[in-house]
Amino acid sequence: MNHPQRTTEHSLKHDTSPIERADHTAAYLDVYPTQQAWLAFFDKTLLVIGSVALALALVFFIAYNWLDMGKMGKFALVEGALVMTIVLYVGLCVRRQFLLIRQLLLLIASIITGSLLALFGQTYQTGADTWQLFFVWALLITPWVMISRFPALWLLWLGLLNTCLLSYLDVTGFLFNDNVYQGVIEIGALAAINFVALNLWLFFIDHKSPSQTTSVNADIDTPSPTATYRQNQTRAGLHWSTYVVGLLSTYAITHLAIFTIFDNGNFTIPIILLSLWIIWCGFMVWRFYRYRVDVLMLTYVSGSAIIVVICWAGRLLLENTNSSGFLVLALLLVGMSSAAVVWLRKAARLSHKRTMTSDMVNESVEVNATDRSAIDKNSETNLGNGHDHDHDQEDTPWFVHVLFGFSGLLASLFFIGFLTLILESTGALDNAMMIGMIGLLLNAAGFLLFKYEHRRHSMFLSSLAFMISVAGQSYVVYSLIESSISHPLDVWVFLLLQSALTLIVPSFMYRLIGSLVVFGCMVFLLGYYALPEISLGLLALIAIVSHLQRYRSLQRIPARWHLASSEVIKAIGYASALMLLCISVYFIVDEYRYGFDNNDGLFRYHYYWAQGLLTLASLYAAYLILKRYRVQWHSAVGLITGSAVIVLGIISTYVTGLLATSLIIIIAMANSKRTLLGIGVFALVCYVFWYYYQLNTSLLVKSVSVLVVGIVLLLLRWILVKRYSAHDLSASGARIQHNASQIDSEEPLS
């Protein structure tokens, strides 16, 4: 959470700013992006996605099994596209213009090169030589990778190198034939190459001067103090590609540390591998805690430590499958996750303190403090009045919440194993009502622990309560399945119970998981009653209201419930967005099997109705965002926005998930939610791979669909560039700042 968002949330939690002023405070503190930031965002997004879509259209077109096109025609098409891309790149280099476009052209040329090599292998039947394909591909694009200095292209090259290495080691038998040794060499080589890549990334990409790293919402003319702070905060973090490489390195070294966990023969290799893992952990802690604090990298280390310790402890404690072993593992996991969260929160506070110090030293812009001082003074006063626990909650990054939730779910599985072995010996598992009562008692115990933890501020109690509550939910589900309650009445009962617990349990992670379960039940019931088409539009509407109308919704709630209601709405917003992205392609898979229906009929899903409702919800989101900036729906901007949403809705009928991911990305941009933005971008990349392997349409239709997407997006960008010149961009940014100031001066504090 950045500083403006933290200030807004803190003022809301401690009643230093009325809820009616929350939207205006967020706009004034640049939580909501300026019109200029929107133009810059659309300019870059449309250019990147449109260019990549054109390259993918060519790949899909070549991959289609053409019967009438000869091999010379295919080669001419791919090589012609490659030559055209390089010519455009050289032309722009001569003119020294459009750096991003030049980098994208090299990325497209690299993708086309891979398509050319795949076409060569398909034509001359060399597809069996897998590692040679990826090796030659990586070798040929190496000069472009070095020239472009484009992180996305570097990641493509690193991915090719990893794939080539794994493919080569799979078919290469070294001096020995032992499968364990062979696997150790494969994972060890993968860990080594990604560790070297991480250090190279840290040196070449994140070893920059401050001016080279800018914020997406920074103003062009005269940056505001908030924008200056956001720039300094962005400089405090690493480049996004570095986190990707760090995740690859973490996965490889963690896999290496637990690879020989079931090898009973030799203890030398496990000791060596664990020693290497400990050295890696020491380096990561030194580099990202002592040298330069980075909480996400430290979260990688914490997650790796939890996985390795639990795996080896499970290897020792579960040999005889005794109940005490499961209990010890559950408590060990609860203790480790609690200690990790406390340590990561400390690191987050340390990072925030260093960023604040850097901001105070570097900030040289005079601030008109007449209105801003009230918010800052209240924030500073409340921070000094002992609200440490609330401040911890505000400063807890999303990935720390994910680590807490993952550990809690895993601990609940061990705890369920412990209770199941105990109950099995008593015969209680044979009675569905008894299992249900046990589940309800566990839920009640978890709720009481959560309430007690809220007063004592104990992270261990919070983890313990989370584990017990999830175990209780599992037993309730099992009892409903085994009971005589008719279907789908059992789903309704669990839906109501889970909704009540989501509202009353004071834990954000529990509320997030509970909301996901509630939405999953809702989607199931709509499918059961033959109304699956409503799911997309309904989930999109819930996500829109919870994110874009959050403060207006809180105005209808009594003031004493604002804090709890804000957390519930926040959890519902993220859960609805995640569920929307998950089911956007689910029904297409389910249509080819027996799905939600209660009989043996084949499940049918009406795409046009579903996409129509999703389009209507997206139009409502566009209306709310335009209303925030006082842009009329019938204006030129409003008409262009509405037309773009409708076109995306039509295309999304054939390109699965396009409109859903676009909606989540726009909502994330509208509220400056980087976490939600990352989820949307990740889902968009996943949908590209999913769309390629989707069986309901041919590659030719997919090629045409992606081509249309690329052309439409680039056309929209051309309209954007033609309509708004550089002078207009600067003027629009000044106008929106002036309007925000007018709003603050016209509406007095209540």
Side-chain angles (χ1 to χ4, degrees):
M1 184 183 295
N2 54 35
H3 179 64
Q5 286 177 329
R6 184 184 295 108
T7 303
T8 306
E9 297 291 331
H10 195 80
S11 62
L12 174 64
K13 288 186 176 184
H14 300 289
D15 295 327
T16 58
S17 179
I19 189 63
E20 293 80 7
R21 296 273 302 169
D23 274 322
H24 305 312
T25 303
Y28 188 77
L29 291 176
D30 292 339
V31 174
Y32 298 154
T34 62
Q35 184 177 351
Q36 177 198 23
W38 275 109
L39 295 175
F41 169 76
F42 281 121
D43 177 48
K44 182 178 294 186
T45 303
L46 294 175
L47 176 62
V48 172
I49 299 179
S51 302
V52 174
L54 292 182
L56 293 177
L58 178 62
V59 173
F60 291 175
F61 187 81
I62 295 302
Y64 180 67
N65 188 19
W66 286 97
L67 299 178
D68 299 329
M69 180 181 291
K71 59 182 180 181
M72 296 306 297
K74 294 181 181 179
F75 279 113
L77 180 63
V78 179
E79 292 172 0
L82 182 60
V83 170
M84 186 182 302
T85 304
I86 297 301
V87 169
L88 287 174
Y89 171 78
V90 173
L92 292 178
C93 285
V94 172
R95 300 178 62 181
R96 295 185 177 181
Q97 292 180 337
F98 309 114
L99 175 62
L100 178 59
I101 296 179
R102 299 199 317 254
Q103 292 174 332
L104 287 173
L105 286 173
L106 288 181
L107 177 62
I108 293 172
S110 300
I111 296 175
I112 295 176
T113 301
S115 177
L116 178 61
L117 294 174
L119 176 61
F120 181 85
Q122 182 184 15
T123 303
Y124 296 103
Q125 300 299 316
T126 62
D129 302 329
T130 53
W131 74 269
Q132 289 93 335
L133 169 65
F134 295 108
F135 175 76
V136 174
W137 188 359
L139 184 64
L140 290 178
I141 69 173
T142 299
W144 297 338
V145 173
M146 301 296 293
I147 293 172
S148 67
R149 293 177 296 175
F150 191 35
L153 191 51
W154 277 100
L155 285 178
L156 174 63
W157 186 82
L158 180 62
L160 293 174
L161 201 60
N162 278 274
T163 308
C164 167
L165 181 64
L166 287 178
S167 302
Y168 174 75
L169 293 176
D170 279 339
V171 298
T172 302
F174 290 94
L175 299 179
F176 38 79
N177 254 343
D178 192 289
N179 291 330
V180 175
Y181 291 156
Q182 183 74 16
V184 167
I185 289 180
E186 290 182 12
I187 305 302
L190 194 67
I193 193 172
N194 285 286
F195 180 71
V196 172
L198 175 61
N199 284 275
L200 291 176
W201 241 266
L202 291 171
F203 183 79
F204 288 105
I205 293 183
D206 280 300
H207 190 67
K208 297 179 179 179
S209 61
S211 61
Q212 289 178 276
T213 307
T214 57
S215 174
V216 71
N217 290 339
D219 295 325
I220 291 179
D221 293 337
T222 303
S224 65
T226 306
T228 304
Y229 182 93
R230 195 173 296 175
Q231 287 179 2
N232 290 333
Q233 190 183 39
T234 304
R235 289 196 295 269
L238 301 175
H239 192 271
W240 64 269
S241 61
T242 309
Y243 293 122
V244 176
V245 182
L247 184 61
L248 291 175
S249 177
T250 304
Y251 164 76
I253 195 66
T254 305
H255 191 182
L256 185 66
I258 63 176
F259 186 78
T260 58
I261 190 171
F262 295 109
D263 184 18
N264 296 319
N266 190 355
F267 291 100
T268 305
I269 294 181
I271 292 175
I272 294 175
L273 298 183
L274 287 175
S275 300
L276 293 175
W277 173 76
I278 292 173
I279 293 173
W280 176 85
C281 290
F283 169 80
M284 295 289 284
V285 171
W286 170 81
R287 182 62 178 78
F288 300 109
Y289 188 76
R290 297 295 182 184
Y291 180 75
R292 176 183 179 181
V293 178
D294 191 275
V295 186
L296 181 52
M297 289 294 190
L298 295 177
T299 305
Y300 290 164
V301 179
S302 301
S304 177
I306 290 174
I307 292 173
V308 172
V309 172
I310 291 299
C311 286
W312 281 102
R315 170 72 171 82
L316 299 175
L317 295 173
L318 299 181
E319 279 190 285
N320 300 322
T321 318
N322 53 350
S323 59
S324 59
F326 282 102
L327 181 60
V328 171
L329 283 177
L331 295 178
L332 177 62
L333 187 53
V334 167
M336 290 185 64
S337 62
S338 303
V341 171
V342 172
W343 180 56
L344 292 171
R345 282 179 176 176
K346 178 183 177 182
R349 289 195 299 269
L350 180 60
S351 176
H352 175 63
K353 186 182 299 183
R354 291 182 180 179
T355 307
M356 288 290 292
T357 304
S358 174
D359 180 64
M360 293 174 62
V361 172
N362 295 328
E363 187 176 279
S364 58
V365 181
E366 292 186 359
V367 182
N368 185 5
T370 55
D371 292 329
R372 191 181 300 271
S373 60
I375 298 174
D376 292 340
K377 185 182 297 183
N378 287 327
S379 177
E380 293 174 1
T381 302
N382 287 321
L383 287 177
N385 285 339
H387 300 283
D388 294 333
H389 179 67
D390 292 333
H391 193 57
D392 281 345
Q393 294 293 333
E394 294 168 18
D395 282 342
T396 303
W398 65 269
F399 36 84
V400 179
H401 282 296
V402 171
L403 178 66
F404 174 80
F406 171 78
S407 302
L409 291 175
L410 187 58
S412 67
L413 292 178
F414 292 132
F415 188 62
I416 290 171
F418 163 73
L419 288 179
T420 301
L421 291 176
I422 296 295
L423 295 174
E424 187 179 14
S425 61
T426 63
L429 293 179
D430 298 330
N431 191 332
M433 183 175 295
M434 182 66 68
I435 297 174
M437 291 297 298
I438 293 173
L440 292 177
L441 289 175
L442 289 174
N443 278 292
F447 174 72
L448 293 177
L449 276 176
F450 271 125
K451 298 293 288 185
Y452 183 69
E453 180 274 333
H454 204 61
R455 295 194 298 267
R456 294 292 301 271
H457 311 325
S458 171
M459 197 64 227
F460 180 81
L461 289 179
S462 179
S463 301
L464 192 64
F466 187 83
M467 177 191 72
I468 294 175
S469 300
V470 174
Q473 292 291 335
S474 302
Y475 278 110
V476 169
V477 172
Y478 182 75
S479 68
L480 290 174
I481 294 175
E482 295 295 323
S483 66
S484 58
I485 301 177
S486 61
H487 194 66
L489 182 59
D490 53 350
V491 181
W492 278 108
V493 172
F494 183 68
L495 174 63
L496 295 176
L497 175 63
Q498 188 63 56
S499 300
L501 290 174
T502 302
L503 291 176
I504 64 175
V505 173
S507 170
F508 173 76
M509 202 63 207
Y510 185 89
R511 284 168 170 163
L512 177 62
I513 297 176
S515 301
L516 283 171
V517 174
V518 169
F519 290 133
C521 294
M522 182 189 72
V523 171
F524 178 86
L525 291 172
L526 288 173
Y528 183 87
Y529 293 118
L531 296 172
E533 298 84 4
I534 301 178
S535 300
L536 282 179
L538 183 58
L539 285 172
L541 185 62
I542 294 173
I544 291 166
V545 173
S546 56
H547 283 285
L548 300 181
Q549 294 286 85
R550 177 185 174 190
Y551 297 127
R552 292 188 180 274
S553 301
L554 288 174
Q555 293 178 17
R556 299 179 175 88
I557 301 174
R560 65 180 181 275
W561 301 107
H562 279 173
L563 177 59
S565 301
S566 176
E567 292 295 323
V568 171
I569 294 175
K570 184 178 178 181
I572 290 175
Y574 279 101
S576 58
L578 288 171
M579 187 59 64
L580 174 64
L581 295 175
C582 290
I583 72 166
S584 293
V585 294
Y586 173 79
F587 290 113
I588 297 176
V589 179
D590 199 65
E591 186 174 356
Y592 295 95
R593 59 186 177 183
Y594 298 100
F596 290 120
D597 50 351
N598 198 27
N599 49 39
D600 293 332
L602 190 63
F603 175 73
R604 293 296 179 187
Y605 184 68
H606 300 90
Y607 301 102
Y608 298 105
W609 282 106
Q611 292 299 322
L613 293 176
L614 182 59
T615 304
L616 290 177
S618 302
L619 287 172
Y620 177 63
Y623 166 76
L624 292 178
I625 295 174
L626 292 176
K627 182 182 177 182
R628 180 182 291 176
Y629 298 95
R630 298 190 177 185
V631 177
Q632 298 296 325
W633 188 250
H634 58 269
S635 64
V637 175
L639 292 176
I640 293 174
T641 303
S643 302
V645 172
I646 293 173
V647 171
L648 279 178
I650 295 173
I651 298 176
S652 186
T653 306
Y654 305 96
V655 183
T656 306
L658 178 62
L659 183 58
T661 52
S662 301
L663 175 63
I664 297 303
I665 290 173
I666 294 300
I667 292 176
M669 180 64 187
N671 283 8
S672 298
K673 297 287 187 181
R674 290 181 294 179
T675 304
L676 194 62
L677 180 63
I679 293 173
V681 173
F682 177 76
L684 185 61
V685 175
C686 292
Y687 283 164
V688 171
F689 291 100
W690 156 250
Y691 186 61
Y692 180 82
Y693 292 103
Q694 187 177 319
L695 299 178
N696 62 336
T697 54
S698 65
L699 283 171
L700 181 60
V701 175
K702 296 174 186 176
S703 175
V704 174
S705 301
V706 176
L707 179 64
V708 171
V709 171
I711 293 175
V712 169
L713 294 181
L714 292 179
L715 181 62
L716 288 175
R717 181 186 179 272
W718 178 80
I719 295 174
L720 185 71
V721 172
K722 293 292 289 184
R723 182 173 178 83
Y724 299 98
S725 61
H727 178 268
D728 294 331
L729 290 175
S730 300
S732 65
R735 282 197 302 270
I736 195 65
Q737 292 287 350
H738 177 68
N739 291 338
S741 300
Q742 277 192 332
I743 292 173
D744 283 344
S745 61
E746 290 173 1
E747 298 190 16
L749 287 170
S750 56

